[in-house]
Amino acid sequence: MTGSVPLLPNYIGNAAVAAGAAKQLAVTSPHTGETIAQVPLSTPADVAAAVAAAKQAFGAWAALTLKARAAYLLRLYTVLQAHSDELAELVVREHGKNKAEALGDV
């Protein structure tokens, strides 16, 4: 990857959130050794915010009927299938697998 590498955010409460961490960890391609992204080494406060958001979301999820939950999961499956090539390319890049193996993982 040329130029600067992205700093990936945390995902908390269905939103991308910058971490409070000052330290980061490089994500490297096992194939080339190049740094392809940076991830924050999240702070205890970041983790606490994620846990609080998950606890809040759980109530609404638990209140759904089995049929409603299944509908969400089927929608997720449909979206994953629609983006399987793109997801497989990410697996190839991040794990060094070949495309056929990556598609099997997706």
Side-chain angles (χ1 to χ4, degrees), residues 4 7 12 33 39 43 46-47 52 57 59 62 67 69-71 78 87 89 103:
S4 64
L7 173 61
I12 300 174
V39 293
T43 64
D46 294 328
V47 175
K67 184 176 181 179
R69 289 183 201 180
T78 301
L87 293 168
E89 288 298 330
L103 280 169

Side-chain angles (χ1 to χ4, degrees), residues 68-83:
R69 289 183 201 180
Y72 277 108
L73 294 175
L74 287 172
R75 173 71 179 131
L76 175 61
Y77 173 78
T78 301
V79 171
L80 289 173
Q81 287 299 107
H83 294 277

Side-chain angles (χ1 to χ4, degrees), residues 33-58:
E34 101 182 279
T35 298
I36 57 176
Q38 295 282 339
V39 293
L41 296 176
S42 296
T43 64
D46 294 328
V47 175
V51 169
K55 283 181 179 179
Q56 182 179 6
F58 180 73

